[in-house]
Structure formats: structure tokens, C-alpha cells
Amino acid sequence: MIRPLLVFAMKQESQEVFAEYDVLHCGIGKVNAAHGLMCRLRDGSPPSLVVNMGTAGSRRHKGGTIVNCTRFIQRDMDVTALGFEKGKTPFSDDPVILEYGNRIEGFPQGLCGTGDN
């Protein structure tokens, strides 16, 4: 049986709708998300699936739309002044757009721009 861990930044995003699931509220931002999830994975029994959920703005999708993001970019990574492509992490072999996750039929696909600014 798949028992997913649902990860949200804030309780306001889940609004008790997912009370029957294993839910983690990790705080706002990439660092809080990474730290909160790693602590949960270290201290608890590992879930069979981790689903990152939450709210985000979009110019392409109407409010309230569930978007299946499998492509990600760090929109706040900008060292173009040093000659790097916008979004490129210096000295990393990772591409500017990371492709990861499962495509789920029936949901629109999207590019998630993540940033802490």
C-alpha cells in the first residue's frame, strides 16, 4: 500500500484537507523545505512516496489549478555578471532546467521556478 508523505510549506496550504495523510509542514523557502524533509526522512520510517504540494503563482494556469511539475529552475540563481547563464549554478554539471518526477495523466504539466527572494 502506498502511504505518501505530503509536504507543504505552511498549514494554511493544506487546511486540514489532508488530515488522513502523513503531512509535513516544513516552512517557507528552499532551505526550510530541504531541512524539514531531510529531518523527517532521518527520524521517521521512510515513506513510499514524497509529494511536494503547495501554492504557487502562475501566468499560464488559472488559480486553483493542480499542476504536475516535472521541470524545475532556480529562478533566483543569477550570476550572469560572472559570465554564467541565468539559472546556472556555477561549477555544477546540473542543467539549468532540472527534469525530475512522474508525469501524471490528466494534469497540466508545468515548469516550476523556485526561488527565495
Side-chain angles (χ1 to χ4, degrees):
M1 178 176 169
I2 295 178
R3 177 114 175 111
L5 171 63
L6 306 181
V7 181
F8 295 89
M10 305 177 301
K11 288 183 181 180
Q12 294 87 336
E13 293 175 303
S14 60
Q15 301 180 15
E16 303 303 321
V17 173
F18 302 96
E20 69 274 14
Y21 292 94
D22 189 6
V23 175
L24 169 67
H25 297 104
C26 57
I28 297 171
K30 294 185 286 187
V31 172
N32 284 334
H35 180 261
L37 182 56
M38 289 307 301
C39 287
R40 168 58 176 75
L41 294 175
R42 177 195 68 205
D43 296 339
S45 60
S48 55
L49 177 68
V50 175
V51 180
N52 182 16
M53 299 182 72
T55 57
S58 175
R59 294 182 187 152
R60 295 187 177 169
H61 302 286
K62 184 177 157 187
T65 303
I66 297 174
V67 179
N68 177 209
C69 295
T70 56
R71 299 171 66 226
F72 304 88
I73 188 168
Q74 294 191 79
R75 63 172 172 73
D76 59 345
M77 180 58 69
D78 185 357
V79 286
T80 52
L82 298 176
F84 293 92
E85 177 183 3
K86 187 168 183 177
K88 179 70 177 167
T89 300
F91 314 111
S92 169
D93 292 332
D94 291 336
V96 170
I97 297 177
L98 300 174
E99 299 202 26
Y100 187 79
N102 299 318
R103 292 185 180 268
I104 301 171
E105 292 296 323
F107 290 106
Q109 301 299 304
L111 170 69
C112 179
T114 181
D116 289 337
N117 56 345

